Amino acid sequence: MEKIGYIILTTVALAWLIAIFFGMINAFPDGLIGIIIFIGLGLLFIKVLQDRLSNKEDDYYSKTVKK
């Protein structure tokens, strides 16, 4: 049930972001600012994911430290 909830929320969030993106394209020249912001946030998100996935110290502590 939890996974289904996450899938639904992710789908709706992606649809919402796509609608905002296409709205920015329709508001062309002013919409370019929003598109640049989306690109910047996307690049930062990818960097954070890469850092988290490649950090062995975090993996060690999350597996060995008792909660």
Side-chain angles (χ1 to χ4, degrees):
M1 288 301 252
E2 183 179 356
K3 288 185 181 183
I4 294 171
Y6 285 132
I7 290 170
I8 291 170
L9 287 175
T10 302
T11 304
V12 171
L14 287 175
W16 180 63
L17 288 173
I18 290 170
I20 290 174
F21 183 76
F22 281 114
M24 287 180 196
I25 290 173
N26 288 337
F28 184 70
D30 296 331
L32 285 176
I33 295 169
I35 292 172
I36 292 169
I37 291 171
F38 265 125
I39 292 170
L41 289 174
L43 291 172
L44 288 174
F45 182 72
I46 290 170
K47 179 171 179 4
V48 168
L49 282 178
Q50 285 178 343
D51 288 346
R52 174 57 191 102
L53 293 175
S54 65
N55 193 341
K56 293 179 182 179
E57 185 177 349
D58 284 346
D59 291 338
Y60 171 78
Y61 284 111
S62 66
K63 291 177 184 175
T64 58
V65 175
K66 294 183 180 181
K67 297 178 182 178

